[in-house]
Amino acid sequence: MPPDDRPLMLPTSKTHNRPTVFAKLAPFSKQPYTLNKPAHYLVSLTLFASVLLTPLCAQAVLPEAIQTALTRANLNATDISIVITPVGDKTASRLPAPMQVIDSPKAANQPESLTTYSAAAEPNGIQKQTTQNSNTNAKEITVHQSTLVTIEKQTIKQHARQLHAYTDDPYTYQSIESVPPLLPDDTLKPAKSSNENESSKNNNDKSTAHNPAIKISFSPLLSHQADIARTPASTMKLVPSFIALDTLGADFVWHTRVYHTGIIIGDTLYGDLIIQGSGDPKMTHERLQQLLYKVQTAGIHHINGNIIVDSSVFKNVTKDPAAFDNSPLRPYNASPDGFLVNFSSIGIKSYPLDNTRAQLTYTPQLANYQMPSMINMRSAACGQARYSIAPQWQSAQLTLNSNLPDSCGEHAFYIAYPDAKDFAARVIAAKWQTLGNTLSGKVIAQETPYRANNPANKQTKSPHGLAAIAMSPLPIVSYPSLNLTQQIYDINHFSNNVMTEQVALSIGAYKTDVNKNDTHQESVNKQGTDTDKTINNQAISLYQFGQPTATDYPQALQSINQWWQTNLTTTPPHLTNGSGLCRDCSISAANLSELLTYAYNQPSFDTYVSSLGIAGVSGTISAHSDRLPKSQAIGRAWIKTGTLNNVTSMAGYVKGLSGQDYVVAGLINTDHALNAYTARTVLDSMLDWTAQH
């Protein structure tokens, strides 16, 4: 129901000045949520105390549909936190147009395609509509109609069947829960509004930012255990992704720059080529080849020296890929890096030749590393790579310790390489050679800036002859990344973990000066003062001044914490990384609700909401329509989901049938085995219930 039709709420108690719903205490039929590992007892005690100290009025009686779903999932009210809050003016919604999913038969001559979109020619208007589901009585509400985007259900199912053949896409399976996209990125993104370009330009202009004096605020429609800190899983990605948009701007790009020492004679570089990593979250192997091609077109085909990769923008961020869940081969466990290539993951595709053998291909190729081109087959079901082919990375070769299941057919496996820097070095060497170029030295990836005569750099010899000539003052190549808008879309739509880590770390590296890497005047101004940043006491290179601030996890997370304290009122969430792939991080439903409400009023909101999956249509929430086929939220909810063992969560925005926009946040944590499929239906019911208002 619209906000002005809500029943009276008695704010007899407030937490952080947020009105709460007065209702009787939900019964405690079990102990509060506890974590399984001994190392997390402190978090468990904190949670227990927060439950006991939570005011009675903060735990609302849950709607019948949600309570029924909880019971069916063998959960109870103490396992869940929910906040649902109206936002904005329902006559001027900021959410995209809803999508109407229709179930029409496919014509016999209709070609196979992923989907067909059309703008429904429905004028804006108001009508009465009766809604009913299995858990609620029929009721008549006022429906504010707007232009709909129509999509056929058949095309969604068609695409879902296609996904079964390739279930480990490297762009999406950086998350435990990821679902590949329904369409190419730009298809699902709504057209820019007439003022969006202006908003992007003014994204960092405080005059266009959130103004509390004119903000429309509402009491929550539903608030249940809002302040309990819980494990969020991938809904945590909502935090760094928005803060990056707010601090860096939607058009922010990472610049990977290439310099050289020595001198170029003809098409040969007598010196070292230096690649300065920027933290680009999506330096795929194809984009790396484009970068190297630009070096080639700059006139260098042969390098009489080394290629040095400087990844010092991020320091001490390498993690043990087996630490989280003992699955080091899964791409979602890849480490971030200052020069991350292809998510440190490789694709293995199988092509059966007969009933006994299959051919294997690898993308990307790794230089000076042996990988088997053939594999025997066995009778078995096709599954994850570690069960199907049992890969093992060794010092100079990849071994496959199990024969390929014959049911795999033409199949793709994606596995993570254990060392991001070694991976980048091998891919660079292979790509450089593929372009027809030569390299007399090595590719060396290091977490320190290049110093030609630095004795601490034991991997390189002191240059002599032409190679001793100082580093080029300007880069020969400056290669921009995809902009932050495109990166955030990948992160939230497909729940890409390592990309989120790259963005979270970049907040610490770039937040003080968004245009630092692009400001030549800054380097000019410093030339007369930073005499320590000279090469051979004469030449000065932009390489020294164009470096972003080196950052690590503590610094980056502190930047996020400072942003939260500056802009929001709730106690900041506890982050140990940016992706939510953690057991020791926590956030409350109130945290998420306040963040999403704040974002709704910011110039970057269009970019933010468009990065979320659409319920029943795309992203990690696409299966919503399978779990709840009659849900009113299908095509009307923009949601980020989260899934870990004993954790499921959803947060985002819902457009009610009344025309009112809502912020929703739901977190489920349990101390026992959780059936993820049935548990998700609880939060599906939350979306459906909200959409009916």
Side-chain angles (χ1 to χ4, degrees), residues 512-531:
T512 56
D513 186 353
V514 174
N515 296 315
K516 180 178 180 180
N517 277 355
D518 293 328
T519 307
H520 177 66
Q521 186 61 44
E522 179 182 356
S523 67
V524 173
N525 293 339
K526 287 186 176 181
Q527 286 180 14
T529 58
D530 289 357
T531 56

Side-chain angles (χ1 to χ4, degrees), residues 184-202:
D185 290 1
D186 57 352
T187 311
L188 282 176
K189 296 174 186 175
K192 287 188 176 182
S193 60
S194 59
N195 63 350
E196 183 175 336
N197 289 331
E198 188 65 27
S199 295
S200 295
K201 293 177 183 178
N202 296 325

Side-chain angles (χ1 to χ4, degrees), residues 91 201 250 318 336 338 384 392 417 541 550 585 634 659:
T91 63
K201 293 177 183 178
T318 300
Q384 296 178 16
Q392 182 180 4
Y417 192 84
S541 173
C585 51
I634 295 172

Side-chain angles (χ1 to χ4, degrees), residues 26-27 71 101 154 168 221 233 250 256 276 320 339 430 434 462 476 511 589 598:
T71 303
V101 180
Q154 175 64 29
D168 282 329
L221 181 65
T256 300
Q276 184 185 42
D320 177 3
F339 191 71
T434 298
S462 296
I476 57 171
K511 71 177 180 66
Y598 178 88

Side-chain angles (χ1 to χ4, degrees), residues 263-270 295-296 298-304 432 436-438:
I263 191 170
I264 301 172
I265 300 178
D267 60 0
T268 300
L269 168 64
Y270 293 90
V295 173
Q296 181 176 274
I300 299 175
H301 290 261
H302 310 288
I303 300 175
N304 188 8
W432 184 249
N437 305 318
T438 63

Side-chain angles (χ1 to χ4, degrees), residues 248-261:
L248 305 181
D251 296 326
F252 176 81
V253 295
W254 291 256
H255 285 273
T256 300
R257 293 190 168 94
V258 182
Y259 299 82
H260 69 84
T261 62

